[in-house]
Amino acid sequence: MKRILIALSLMMGHSSFSSMVAQTPVYLDETKSVEQRIEDALSRMTLDEKIAVIHAQSKFSSPGVKRLGFPDLWTDDGPHGVRPDVLWDEWVQAGQTNDSCVAFPALTCLAATWNPDMASIYGISLGEEALYRKKNVILGPGVNINRTPFGGRNFEYMGEDPYLASQMVVPYVRGLQSLGVASCVKHYALNNDEEYRHQVNVIVSDRALHEIYLPAFKAAVQQGGAWAIMGAYNLYNNQHNCHNEILLNKILKQDWGFDGVVISDWGGCHDTDEAVKNGLDLEFGTWTDGLTMGATNAYDNYYLADAYKKLIKEGKYTTKELDEKVRRVLRLFFRTTMQRNKPFGFLCSESHYDAALKIAQEGIVLLKNEKMKGENAPLLPINPSKPTRILVVGENAIKMMTVGGGSSSLKVQHEILPLDGIVSKLSTVNYQLSIDYARGYIGDTIQSFDGVTVGRSLYETRSAAELKTEALEKAKQADVVIFIGGLNKSNYQDSEGHDRNQYELPYGQNELIEALVAVNPRLVYVNISGNAVAMPWINKVPAVVQGWFLGSEAGNAIASVLFGEANPSGKLPFTWYANLNQCGAHATGSYPGTWRDGHQIIDEEYKEDIFVGYRWTDKQKEKPLFAFGHGLSYTTFEIGKALADKKTMTADEKISFTVKVKNTGSRAGAEVVQLYINDVKSSLPRPVKELKTFQKVYLQPGESKDVTLTIDKSALSFYDDRVGEWVAEPGEFKALIGNASDHISTSVSFKLAN
């Protein structure tokens, strides 16, 4: 029904028409399409109202247009759970009692599931929590490429491979936005460093940009329909990415047809003119020059606030650019705050904990599992039904991993710590089990982060030598030692703001592991991290598990895998290098870049070009510690010979490959069938192989299934920077099919016709 509450008689009698317009409530015509309503609202807005909606009014909100019925827009971190509320204008906890959340596993774990269905469940569950908290935009997910294992925020991203990240981000975005909560995909683009992140200017070929670093963002926009994109802190082509002519105007908005909102990372805007011209729509978190913390007019002094309005009034700009920014923000309003039929959310529900547990179980990767000398079975899973003395060692067994790490830090309703999960699991199975704990090392005694306290005290009065001695003495008496170590969310570990400064495990863990395995070779190492680490003791330790940052259900997920309740099916989303020389960014000496003479800019040239991760180790013919796509199971699988449905395909056709997969073991489990493409002859250098499709298949013992993998011309294409477009050259190709990038079981040759 059309309702407009502006009476001409009132207007004529008012002393200030503009003041009346600014104060009189207006109901927009609901019979019109959304785009018509956007134009209708835009035509009614004053200059002040337009300027107001394109910048923040608090730490996490921007104003709506109350006169026109648009509520304020509320954003929140992060990709793994809804961040606790802070005060309006300070980074201080608001002290609420209803802003605890479920922490879902970090996105490296989600990517390790190699299961897009898990990404959909993730997005929906997170969206339900966001709805309850009245959040309109979730700042995530992150899809920057893992270029080096030193990347401080790699744990927030989806690995090294552009295709895998693309397949996992799309259902996450769709699931979240199906509930009327916008996904703000970040950090666009080339955000591969945390150290000096505001000053790194990335120098990268057009080919590497389009083949490696942009595909996941493109998929989020064109397939996922993302409503928002967050610009990155770093520079590309000497422009900050929150107002970058090439990345935002040309690629994102022009080439990809993005109709959503570009949001600055907090403090990522640096210049009014560039922000006006180069694609930024909504500015958040800036502290402009001359302002002090808590200044009452801070938000009016943003680059897209009074400074922009002044330039319009002076005639430097018309409202053309402003109207386009406002148009996009209004579109976001209609998709989120103005969407009337979105459901009610709910918080910390059983279904959300179930989702967190399932994602964690599917993402845990069994890296190594060997038989001990003289034993008939591998060390894992540990049989909980017979008398066993178990010793758990390691600080990460008692340390919360949902607290800290930067913007992804959460205030959880609960986090099951690994030690507690193990004790709880075994206390219900066998009362003859003996479980003991030794800390073993001192890593991090921080008790709180951003107002959230950790669940168990980490204060320690004993020395490192005393802790090591205790662990060794207890290990001598144990039947199995479970060492739960790795990295944490401290600075220079896995944390926003800093990159790692060493590949080795911190806090003397390597030396402790060597000493433990010397007195008790029945040792299981569980690595908690979002990155690969050096493992110089790998040949001495029979069982190794990659445990990620698993969120609220961490302890339950780890225990369920260690004791066989869940059969691990995760696969690595990145290459686990034996040493840093196997990583292209380090082998070429291009990381961490070089300070520019006389300027506060670091130029970092991506000299490895398109050869990132397994593409580099394949090219160099190096054997990593664990390959991309690697992951073991408690059962065994057999992948049969691949058959193609045609020998030659044309550019407008698809080609399918079918393999029979059989569970040849004694337990139900899941295998990930991975298809890589090899271009036999190309006019430009290409990787030995590239992942182009995959499928996760669940099988009972003895069960077989036919798995069909289908590709089209895009899987054969490369970005030809000589002509600036994607090209698929006719000729011979090979489809390589296996269960890891270094474990190809079968291959099929085929041709792309002229």
Side-chain angles (χ1 to χ4, degrees):
M1 178 177 69
K2 186 174 183 179
R3 298 177 296 173
I4 302 178
L5 300 182
I6 298 181
L8 290 176
S9 60
L10 289 176
M11 290 180 184
M12 298 299 292
H14 201 278
S15 60
S16 171
F17 177 78
S18 61
S19 175
M20 185 64 185
V21 170
Q23 296 176 22
T24 304
V26 175
Y27 294 92
L28 301 180
D29 188 345
E30 297 179 5
T31 66
K32 295 180 179 179
S33 70
V34 168
E35 293 302 315
Q36 289 173 322
R37 294 175 72 189
I38 289 170
E39 296 305 319
D40 185 12
L42 187 63
S43 70
R44 300 173 188 274
M45 292 173 66
T46 66
L47 177 61
D48 284 344
E49 287 172 336
K50 290 178 180 180
I51 289 291
V53 301
I54 64 169
H55 66 83
Q57 65 177 355
S58 75
K59 289 297 183 188
F60 282 100
S61 74
S62 62
V65 189
K66 296 171 182 60
R67 185 177 62 85
L68 300 181
F70 291 100
D72 293 347
L73 184 79
W74 283 89
T75 72
D76 212 341
D77 293 308
H80 309 135
V82 186
R83 185 176 180 167
D85 287 325
V86 299
L87 295 177
W88 183 265
D89 194 34
E90 297 181 53
W91 292 110
V92 177
Q93 291 291 307
Q96 296 180 2
T97 58
N98 64 343
D99 60 349
S100 296
C101 69
V102 172
F104 299 94
L107 294 185
T108 43
C109 177
L110 176 62
T113 69
W114 287 59
N115 186 349
D117 289 342
M118 290 294 103
S120 180
I121 292 170
Y122 198 121
I124 291 170
S125 301
L126 181 60
E128 289 170 341
E129 301 236 333
L131 280 176
Y132 181 89
R133 295 272 306 283
K134 302 187 184 326
K135 307 303 181 185
N136 310 118
V137 181
I138 286 294
L139 305 174
V143 291
N144 292 99
I145 293 298
N146 182 327
R147 178 177 175 247
T148 159
F150 276 21
R153 295 185 88 166
N154 282 347
F155 72 96
E156 292 187 47
Y157 301 145
M158 296 189 182
E160 72 183 29
D161 184 77
Y163 181 81
L164 176 62
S166 297
Q167 293 302 299
M168 299 303 291
V169 70
V170 168
Y172 180 117
V173 171
R174 288 178 177 172
L176 181 63
Q177 294 188 167
S178 69
L179 300 171
V181 179
S183 174
C184 184
V185 183
K186 61 186 188 182
H187 303 88
Y188 182 76
L190 301 161
N191 186 197
N192 308 111
D193 300 66
E194 283 300 294
E195 209 68 43
Y196 302 109
R197 56 187 176 172
H198 292 273
Q199 296 151 291
V200 173
N201 177 55
V202 174
I203 301 169
V204 62
S205 72
D206 285 350
R207 189 173 175 206
L209 178 69
H210 285 273
E211 287 193 20
I212 304 297
Y213 297 101
L214 293 186
F217 289 103
K218 184 178 182 181
V221 169
Q222 295 190 332
Q223 299 173 42
W227 295 339
I229 292 286
M230 181 186 289
Y233 282 134
N234 55 285
L235 299 88
Y236 165 69
N237 200 39
N238 296 307
Q239 287 182 335
H240 279 96
N241 287 358
C242 286
H243 31 71
N244 190 288
E245 166 65 20
I246 295 174
L247 290 179
L248 299 180
N249 285 345
K250 183 182 185 304
I251 295 176
L252 178 65
K253 293 183 174 180
Q254 178 182 316
D255 296 349
W256 297 352
F258 176 64
D259 69 353
V261 173
V262 173
I263 299 177
S264 74
D265 203 342
W266 269 229
C269 185
H270 298 268
D271 182 86
T272 296
D273 284 314
E274 287 200 2
V276 170
K277 295 183 293 186
N278 293 341
L280 180 62
D281 300 312
L282 184 51
E283 180 186 0
F284 267 96
T286 301
W287 285 99
T288 52
D289 292 343
L291 290 176
T292 58
M293 187 69 71
T296 56
N297 63 340
Y299 301 102
D300 290 335
N301 282 276
Y302 273 24
Y303 293 104
L304 287 181
D306 285 353
Y308 185 14
K309 182 169 64 175
K310 181 174 181 288
L311 294 176
I312 291 175
K313 288 185 173 181
E314 291 174 350
K316 180 172 183 179
Y317 295 106
T318 68
T319 60
K320 177 184 176 182
E321 295 89 354
L322 175 60
D323 286 349
E324 177 56 23
K325 297 177 192 299
V326 175
R327 190 175 284 116
R328 289 173 179 271
V329 172
L330 292 176
R331 189 175 294 122
L332 183 62
F333 286 168
F334 278 110
R335 287 166 166 170
T336 58
T337 63
M338 297 289 283
Q339 187 180 140
R340 293 185 175 184
N341 59 353
K342 59 188 175 186
F344 290 102
F346 48 95
L347 195 67
C348 299
S349 70
E350 292 88 346
S351 65
H352 294 170
Y353 284 113
D354 289 345
L357 178 61
K358 180 62 175 173
I359 294 164
Q361 289 171 330
E362 284 214 21
I364 290 174
V365 183
L366 181 60
L367 294 174
K368 181 181 179 182
N369 192 27
E370 294 182 348
K371 294 179 183 178
M372 299 292 297
K373 186 175 181 179
E375 297 188 9
N376 297 323
L379 188 53
L380 292 177
I382 299 168
N383 186 348
S385 63
K386 66 179 183 179
T388 305
R389 293 167 296 178
I390 296 173
L391 173 66
V392 178
V393 179
E395 182 178 276
N396 282 356
I398 60 168
K399 178 174 172 55
M400 290 181 71
M401 293 297 177
T402 58
V403 179
S407 63
S408 66
S409 181
L410 298 171
K411 176 183 172 183
V412 295
Q413 185 185 52
H414 73 246
E415 178 180 350
I416 307 298
L417 300 175
L419 178 61
D420 296 336
I422 291 170
V423 170
S424 176
K425 186 72 64 181
L426 296 186
S427 65
T428 62
V429 177
N430 185 346
Y431 291 100
Q432 299 179 69
L433 284 165
S434 168
I435 305 172
D436 201 357
Y437 173 72
R439 184 166 182 170
Y441 66 93
I442 306 172
D444 184 356
T445 59
I446 295 173
Q447 299 298 297
S448 66
F449 178 87
D450 197 20
V452 179
T453 57
V454 299
R456 180 186 264 113
S457 175
L458 296 172
Y459 286 127
E460 183 61 68
T461 59
R462 294 170 293 175
S463 68
E466 290 174 311
L467 292 174
K468 181 177 180 180
T469 298
E470 178 197 36
L472 292 176
E473 289 302 314
K474 289 184 175 183
K476 293 175 184 177
Q477 310 302 318
D479 296 307
V480 177
V481 177
I482 302 172
F483 189 106
I484 301 178
L487 308 180
N488 55 41
K489 296 288 193 69
S490 300
N491 286 337
Y492 304 103
Q493 300 293 312
D494 282 324
S495 180
E496 179 182 0
H498 294 284
D499 287 340
R500 295 168 63 195
N501 52 25
Q502 63 177 19
Y503 196 40
E504 291 71 28
L505 286 172
Y507 315 127
Q509 290 178 79
N510 283 334
E511 293 79 5
L512 179 58
I513 293 169
E514 293 272 9
L516 284 168
V517 79
V519 300
N520 191 334
R522 305 187 85 250
L523 187 144
V524 178
Y525 176 67
V526 180
N527 188 69
I528 307 298
S529 76
N531 271 306
V533 299
M535 294 182 172
W537 35 260
I538 188 66
N539 293 327
K540 302 174 186 177
V541 175
V544 179
V545 175
Q546 174 58 17
W548 312 111
F549 300 118
L550 296 176
S552 287
E553 291 291 312
N556 289 335
I558 289 171
S560 68
V561 168
L562 292 180
F563 297 97
E565 180 181 295
N567 191 351
S569 61
K571 301 283 185 176
L572 285 178
F574 54 69
T575 302
W576 199 295
Y577 306 109
N579 56 70
L580 286 178
N581 288 330
Q582 292 185 340
C583 174
H586 294 267
T588 60
S590 58
Y591 173 86
T594 304
W595 286 100
R596 193 181 293 180
D597 289 343
H599 298 276
Q600 292 299 305
I601 296 293
I602 299 173
D603 287 316
E604 187 169 348
E605 183 178 1
Y606 288 16
K607 294 180 181 178
E608 73 279 10
D609 201 50
I610 62 171
F611 298 99
V612 176
Y614 68 91
R615 291 165 168 80
W616 177 267
T617 53
D618 281 353
K619 176 176 178 285
Q620 300 300 111
K621 298 180 180 179
E622 294 177 326
K623 181 176 175 56
L625 194 61
F626 301 109
F628 171 80
H630 169 78
L632 305 176
S633 171
Y634 292 151
T635 189
T636 54
F637 298 94
E638 181 181 274
I639 297 177
K641 184 178 180 180
L643 298 174
D645 65 351
K646 55 177 66 74
K647 293 183 179 179
T648 301
M649 64 177 288
T650 61
D652 58 354
E653 290 182 322
K654 295 180 179 180
I655 185 170
S656 296
F657 306 90
T658 301
V659 294
K660 185 179 292 295
V661 183
K662 182 178 182 180
N663 183 341
T664 56
S666 58
R667 298 175 58 107
E671 181 62 289
V672 179
V673 184
Q674 305 164 33
L675 185 148
Y676 299 81
I677 289 294
N678 166 251
D679 189 348
V680 176
K681 185 178 180 181
S682 172
S683 62
L684 289 179
R686 298 197 68 178
V688 173
K689 59 179 174 292
E690 298 174 276
L691 180 72
K692 292 303 178 183
T693 189
F694 60 88
Q695 185 173 326
K696 196 165 193 173
V697 57
Y698 298 83
L699 298 169
Q700 296 297 317
E703 183 182 9
S704 298
K705 284 184 181 178
D706 286 338
V707 174
T708 298
L709 303 167
T710 302
I711 60 171
D712 59 17
K713 184 185 73 170
S714 65
L716 312 179
S717 303
F718 61 90
Y719 189 83
D720 191 338
D721 49 9
R722 298 169 299 187
V723 295
E725 61 185 35
W726 288 88
V727 173
E729 294 178 334
E732 184 179 352
F733 294 84
K734 289 182 180 179
L736 311 173
I737 299 174
N739 63 0
S741 62
D742 68 342
H743 195 260
I744 302 301
S745 304
T746 181
S747 65
V748 180
S749 295
F750 65 99
K751 291 183 178 180
L752 176 65
N754 287 306

